[in-house]
């Protein structure tokens, strides 16, 4: 992670505490951002934790764009 260029978004500050649904909500938010093109990069990291030592982390990445069709191919 590059500290000067990494964008940190805390969706929880806007939603409140969704509890156990946090991971699913963050996954959908990141997936929509990557698919729609409003995410600031081509990948996202979701890190989760709980008060009871449970931890999880996963990454999502935008699939590579297909090469444009070229006439005569």
């Amino acid at each position: 992670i590059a500290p000067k260029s990494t964008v940190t978004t805390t969706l929880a500050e806007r939603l409140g505490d969704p509890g156990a649904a946090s991971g699913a909500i963050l996954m959908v938010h990141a997936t929509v951002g990557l698919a729609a093109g409003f995410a600031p990069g081509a990948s996202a990291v979701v890190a989760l934790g709980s008060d009871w030592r449970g931890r999880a982390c996963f990454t999502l990445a935008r699939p590579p764009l297909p090469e444009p069709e070229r006439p005569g191919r």
Side-chain angles (χ1 to χ4, degrees), residues 5-44:
S5 62
T6 300
V7 177
T8 303
T9 303
T10 55
L11 188 59
E13 289 177 352
R14 290 181 258 159
L15 292 179
D17 182 9
S22 297
I25 290 170
L26 292 169
M27 181 180 69
V28 169
H29 182 70
T31 300
V32 170
L34 292 167
F38 67 79
S43 62

